[in-house]
Amino acid sequence: MPGTANGDPKSELQAEGSLAGFETIEALLENYIPEDKLVEVKRVLYGANRGAPVQKLSLHQDVTAAAAAADFDVQGYKFRARQEQNRKPRHVKIGLIQNSIKAPTTAPYAEQTQALYTAVQKLVDAAGSAGVQVLCLQEAWTMPFAFCTREREWLEFAEPAETGPSTKMLQKYAQKYNMVIINSILERDEPHGETIWNTAVVIGHMGNVIGKHRKNHIPRVGDFNESTYYLEGNTGHPVFDTVYGKIAVNICYGRHHPMNWQAFGMNGAEIVFNPSATVGSLSEPLWGVEARNAAIANSYYTAAINRVGTEVFPNDFTSGDGQAAHKAFGHFYGSSYVAAPDGSRTPGLSRYKDGLMVAELDLNLCRQVRDQWGFQMTARYEMYAKLLQDYIQPEFRPQVIKESQ
């Protein structure tokens, strides 16, 4: 029997962006798989934290009330670590915000941005009520993801990283809630010829700007025509040592590059956020795998954030992929989640609603998993370094041994 977003029977009308009539893959599984068997399915799909499913985290009634009033999805989970003798638990509460645009792409740009501010501020307030200490917004949250169009007027949404209006606005929230906030924007680098970058600004818990990171890998696939607007970043793989832990930001397409994840880990990251904007027709089968795999391989936590909704633009566009001209990018399927170094992960947020994911982490788990599996100890960095050094030379030849005839 078909189901609604929460698994109940429904009419033929389905919410835009649903998965066979369900709000999440978890709701679909819960509707069709008997409870005793579902336990094993989730064990395989979502792993185990300290031998059990990731625990649900009780949220303050102000948070659930705000979610009901503004109609956004809110979920809370708790990752545990073993109690150590020589170290106290290192608990930190993180938050992920996913959202859709709130005004038509034909509306004046200032109106579009203000509508997003109004909606996202409610989510930030809910995060503050939930006690979130590190909050990450989705990629380029202040605008529609217009990089499919190749039209340059969308660059009017760009702003200075350290002094732009979104950073100034979020600095006040950082101070209000004693919260580190990652502000993912389209940056206009005024001192350097107003060059455009895809940038994450890290705002400290006192409202100070700690630093920024620019997107390392730029897609040139399907409608993701981002290199029309900005190119690869020049900030390396910075890790920001905040009062709550060492964090990094792997922006969107960088999640497809294992070495990009690895570099943040080599620099000491304990949590790596992945603010993204990606559509179901291109990437959904990869979504639940990549950030979770990075958490496992690098012994840190990962937080994957994706926007929601279908964005329709004024003019038809094509991308040289044989498809007919169209005005919509595709459906941004949300499904934001958190993964731990032990391979466990939370369920995902809604595929079509704004949402807030709250997760309490114990950062001691990073070292505990590192000690258990020894991935860093058993790595062969000197061997990899030699291969990479050889690989970038024009005279490189692959190490292939052919079968004799």
Side-chain angles (χ1 to χ4, degrees), residues 11 195 377:
S11 67
T195 301
M377 179 184 70

Side-chain angles (χ1 to χ4, degrees), residues 208-275:
N208 54 308
V209 173
I210 301 175
K212 64 187 176 185
H213 173 57
R214 291 167 173 161
K215 188 173 181 176
N216 277 335
H217 298 277
I218 309 303
R220 298 162 177 84
V221 55
D223 287 333
F224 288 84
N225 299 309
E226 296 174 48
S227 59
T228 302
Y229 301 88
Y230 46 80
L231 295 177
E232 287 72 16
N234 58 2
T235 54
H237 296 88
V239 171
F240 303 94
D241 192 359
T242 76
V243 295
Y244 302 120
K246 295 179 180 179
I247 68 172
V249 191
N250 182 6
I251 304 173
C252 198
Y253 197 68
R255 74 181 179 278
H256 302 305
H257 294 266
M259 289 184 184
N260 205 47
W261 289 107
Q262 183 182 31
F264 292 116
M266 293 174 74
N267 280 331
E270 296 171 304
I271 313 168
V272 180
F273 294 89
N274 177 227

Side-chain angles (χ1 to χ4, degrees), residues 5 19 122 228 257 302 352:
L19 186 66
K122 294 177 182 178
T228 302
H257 294 266
T302 58
Y352 55 79

Side-chain angles (χ1 to χ4, degrees), residues 60 325 327:
H60 193 279
K327 294 183 177 181

Side-chain angles (χ1 to χ4, degrees), residues 322-345:
Q323 295 193 31
H326 47 286
K327 294 183 177 181
F329 207 141
H331 180 72
F332 296 99
Y333 51 83
S335 307
S336 304
Y337 70 96
V338 178
D342 62 4
S344 61
R345 57 155 288 186

